[in-house]
Each structure stands twice: as C-alpha cells, then as structure tokens.
Amino acid sequence: MHQLKENFRKIFNQSKNWWMGICKLGKWLSKAQKYFPDSYRTIVRWLDEILAYFDHRTTQGIVEGINNKLKLIKRSAYGFRNFKNFQVRALLNWHFVLF
C-alpha cells in the first residue's frame, strides 16, 4: 500500500501533460482499486478536475485553506455581537490593515 501511495505521488510529479497523466493514473487505479476503494471512487468522480491539473499545474489549495480558516473563525464567533466584529477578526487573521 505504501508503494502504491508513492507511485501515486510520482504520477503527479512526473507527468508532463494530461495524456501521460491519464495513462499512468489509469494503470495506478487498476492496481489500487483493491486496496483503496474509497479513494478509487473519489478519483473517478473527480477525474476531469484531476486531469486539468496536469495541463495547468494549479490547485484550489489556497482557496480551500482560506475557507477552512473562515469556518474556524465562524465557529468561535458565536459570542460576537455583530458582523463587524466577525469581519475584524477575519481581516486581522490575514494581517490586513483595518484603517
């Protein structure tokens, strides 16, 4: 299982275009389906988005991180009296100047 995981990482590091990526990913999926059934289903469901990575080499990681941080602030914001306090807390988190 560890070797399959490492091979999965190599696919994304070594594939230069979507065609090479889909060929290698298809081979990997055929081997990994037995050991990683949940991951297999997720990869198949998101295959178009995964293939787009091979062409553009970009992800939504930064946006997902910001959304996660905002959710954490929102959970701790139940004691805030108004939206302005929430807004200030969020902006301070990313070191924005408020004035």
Side-chain angles (χ1 to χ4, degrees):
M1 290 175 74
H2 176 73
Q3 189 59 43
L4 281 171
K5 180 197 68 91
E6 291 301 316
N7 290 344
F8 186 73
R9 183 183 305 250
K10 287 179 185 176
I11 291 170
F12 288 91
N13 290 335
Q14 296 175 353
S15 298
K16 302 296 182 198
N17 56 40
W18 70 270
W19 180 251
M20 186 185 300
I22 196 166
C23 291
K24 290 181 179 181
L25 194 58
K27 289 177 187 177
W28 184 88
L29 284 171
S30 67
K31 295 175 189 174
Q33 182 177 6
K34 177 181 173 183
Y35 301 104
F36 302 109
D38 293 338
S39 298
Y40 172 83
R41 287 190 296 275
T42 301
I43 291 170
V44 170
R45 189 171 44 246
W46 290 92
L47 191 60
D48 289 339
E49 289 81 1
I50 292 170
L51 293 180
Y53 171 82
F54 291 116
D55 283 336
H56 305 291
R57 298 287 176 181
T58 58
T59 66
Q60 294 295 325
I62 294 172
V63 174
E64 293 294 331
I66 290 170
N67 288 339
N68 187 33
K69 191 68 163 183
L70 285 173
K71 286 179 186 179
L72 290 172
I73 293 170
K74 187 173 77 171
R75 280 190 212 124
S76 68
Y78 288 120
F80 293 168
R81 295 180 183 191
N82 56 37
F83 178 76
K84 185 68 177 169
N85 292 344
F86 172 74
Q87 183 182 26
V88 168
R89 171 78 66 93
L91 292 174
L92 283 174
N93 187 61
W94 284 284
H95 309 289
F96 284 104
V97 177
L98 300 175
F99 304 99

